[in-house]
Amino acid sequence: MNKKYELPPVDFGSDLVRYAFEVERLRGDLGNGTTPARTLTELHALFRLVMSVVSARIEGNRTTVYDALSELPPLGSAAPVESDALREITNILDGIDFIDATDPTTPLSHIFVRELHRITVDGLRREGDSTPGEYRRRDVSIAQSAHTPPSHVYVHAEMSELLDFVNRDMPTHQQMIHAAIAHHRFVWIHPFGNGNGRVSRLFTYAMLRRNGFDSIPGYRAVNPTAVFGNDRDGYYSALEAADDLSPTGTIGWCEFFVHGLRDDLARLIQMQDFTFLTERLIDPAVDRLIASGGATAAEGSALKLAARSGVVKAGDLEPAFSGSPSQRSLAIRSMLERGLLVRDESGPRFYRVSLARAPLGPYVIRQLDELGHLPRILRDDRRSRD
């Protein structure tokens, strides 16, 4: 195997080793919290949208997360997306779904990678590719980069070598370094005519699933895109420094990746503290929704009750809605029609709070921002929600 797929020698006392051990310590804390699994599932749906916006934003898409929440079709809808900018985001969402539907123990293959590309560029004009799902057939250069990717003649062979490396079984303490190197080498090869950045981030998400994050219920929200969106300039700078494939450049890139993942995991672990989640995130978001006129005080009380219970029936919301059962049913129907509540998988008479879409979703995003839980690349998306 080429030396570019050897793990670099790392001093045991280095920052990289310290970050890697901290990631493993934090990973051990995942799944041990008090937040109900269904609430984590709602958060995952919200985070997957946020990360899709971030991935598109890194490539220059200016759609705000608020626009995505309000303009994208409801979850599960087959309605077409006309806007090219929104289609780019929905394609990334489809890529995440494709990965989530794949057995994480299945080795990553050429077919898998090319399908990720086909999904990512499907139907796009500005950020599409003339050969979706196929490796590039011409030599390319990368704008504002000194690195020249390998000739198209060698792309398949280079990708075969990368996939051999990706599918190696690694000791737990080396898995984050393994994923970091694979991400850089993918971008270094630049296997497609366009869409390499978006596909590389999806590819690395798939690697994290292979490395065990998918086995923790509700924590598919662990997505490396948050790391890259938190410091876009640092992301590109660290990638470029590793382009000479030297141990020094590779270690610097791995430090950037693992350090960022550690910080993101720490934020996610806060979300498994149900008291923190309800008091610091959901309740303030509901209060903002009420203040905006998007919900009545009674509906706000019902949302807070449902958030604390995870799943509710009509009778559970009696403290919020005084009056007869038929009046309560009408109030619940109105909340369902407006997307404040959604039907739970338990049955048609079971409901839960909808955190992942409008009208509550934008206020959850605003509160996440104030808590410091959003990548910095979304900072310009701020607008008054009070």
Side-chain angles (χ1 to χ4, degrees):
M1 180 171 287
N2 192 300
K3 285 189 176 181
K4 64 175 171 280
Y5 294 115
E6 293 179 0
L7 269 63
V10 181
D11 183 82
F12 189 78
S14 67
D15 286 340
L16 176 55
V17 170
R18 177 167 60 86
Y19 297 150
F21 275 106
E22 288 176 0
V23 165
E24 293 313 314
R25 177 183 60 80
L26 290 167
R27 179 156 64 164
D29 291 336
L30 288 174
N32 296 324
T34 54
T35 300
R38 280 184 171 82
T39 305
L40 290 173
T41 299
E42 273 291 313
L43 286 173
H44 168 62
L46 182 65
F47 288 148
R48 67 189 279 280
L49 175 62
V50 170
M51 292 308 116
S52 298
V53 172
V54 169
S55 189
R57 177 68 59 82
I58 290 172
E59 304 303 324
N61 188 320
R62 300 308 300 171
T63 303
T64 72
V65 67
Y66 298 110
D67 289 339
L69 279 165
S70 62
E71 296 177 20
L72 286 176
L75 293 172
S77 170
V81 176
E82 302 297 338
S83 161
D84 203 52
L86 286 174
R87 178 68 177 267
E88 183 179 359
I89 292 167
T90 59
N91 283 0
I92 297 169
L93 286 167
D94 289 343
I96 294 173
D97 287 343
F98 171 69
I99 294 168
D100 284 346
T102 302
D103 183 344
T105 65
T106 302
L108 303 187
S109 65
H110 289 285
I111 293 173
F112 179 87
V113 173
R114 293 198 299 262
E115 179 61 11
L116 272 184
H117 180 257
R118 186 199 65 76
I119 293 169
T120 301
V121 301
D122 181 48
L124 296 179
R125 297 182 295 275
R126 187 181 70 88
E127 289 296 342
D129 192 317
S130 59
T131 56
E134 298 182 25
Y135 293 141
R136 57 183 168 87
R137 302 171 183 172
R138 56 184 174 83
D139 291 352
V140 295
S141 59
I142 303 175
Q144 301 178 332
S145 174
H147 170 59
T148 300
S151 170
H152 70 283
V153 175
Y154 303 112
V155 166
H156 192 279
E158 290 279 0
M159 287 300 296
S160 293
E161 199 167 17
L162 171 61
L163 290 167
D164 285 345
F165 172 72
V166 163
N167 291 317
R168 285 168 57 183
D169 291 329
M170 304 294 290
T172 301
H173 68 281
Q174 293 181 348
Q175 287 177 349
M176 296 304 102
I177 299 173
H178 182 219
I181 293 174
H183 180 89
H184 173 267
R185 292 346 185 212
F186 185 103
V187 177
W188 186 90
I189 295 169
H190 212 76
F192 301 107
N194 195 20
N196 291 280
R198 285 162 285 161
V199 176
S200 70
R201 292 183 282 276
L202 289 168
F203 179 76
T204 308
Y205 172 58
M207 278 202 69
L208 289 181
R209 291 183 73 242
R210 276 184 56 79
N211 285 341
F213 281 98
D214 189 69
S215 64
I216 305 168
Y219 282 94
R220 289 181 176 180
V222 178
N223 191 315
T225 300
V227 177
F228 312 140
N230 206 42
D231 186 357
R232 181 176 184 266
D233 292 339
Y235 172 45
Y236 283 134
S237 177
L239 280 174
E240 188 168 358
D243 283 342
D244 64 0
L245 305 181
S246 68
T248 300
T250 297
I251 289 171
W253 159 251
C254 290
E255 282 185 2
F256 174 87
F257 179 90
V258 179
H259 178 266
L261 193 63
R262 180 203 65 178
D263 291 348
D264 193 50
L265 280 172
R267 288 188 286 268
L268 285 172
I269 284 171
Q270 277 193 309
M271 295 293 143
Q272 69 180 14
D273 179 345
F274 198 39
T275 299
F276 173 89
L277 186 67
T278 53
E279 295 182 357
R280 299 289 304 281
L281 179 62
I282 297 176
D283 285 359
V286 171
D287 290 340
R288 281 198 166 101
L289 177 67
I290 295 169
S292 75
T296 66
E299 289 172 335
S301 295
L303 288 173
K304 291 179 181 180
L305 281 171
R308 281 165 171 76
S309 298
V311 179
V312 294
K313 295 184 292 186
D316 299 323
L317 299 181
E318 184 176 359
F321 298 122
S322 58
S324 67
S326 61
Q327 290 174 317
R328 188 161 56 248
S329 295
L330 287 173
I332 292 171
R333 183 184 306 168
S334 174
M335 295 181 73
L336 288 168
E337 290 172 349
R338 288 149 53 212
L340 290 169
L341 293 175
V342 294
R343 298 188 190 278
D344 187 69
E345 295 82 358
S346 303
R349 298 181 183 274
F350 293 84
Y351 317 104
R352 53 187 167 83
V353 177
S354 175
L355 301 175
R357 281 288 190 265
L360 183 58
Y363 297 97
V364 176
I365 290 292
R366 174 65 183 274
Q367 192 62 23
L368 283 169
D369 192 15
E370 294 196 1
L371 291 171
H373 282 247
L374 287 186
R376 286 200 297 266
I377 200 170
L378 298 180
R379 183 169 293 163
D380 291 341
D381 288 2
R382 290 180 181 176
R383 56 172 150 178
S384 176
R385 290 277 162 181
D386 297 320

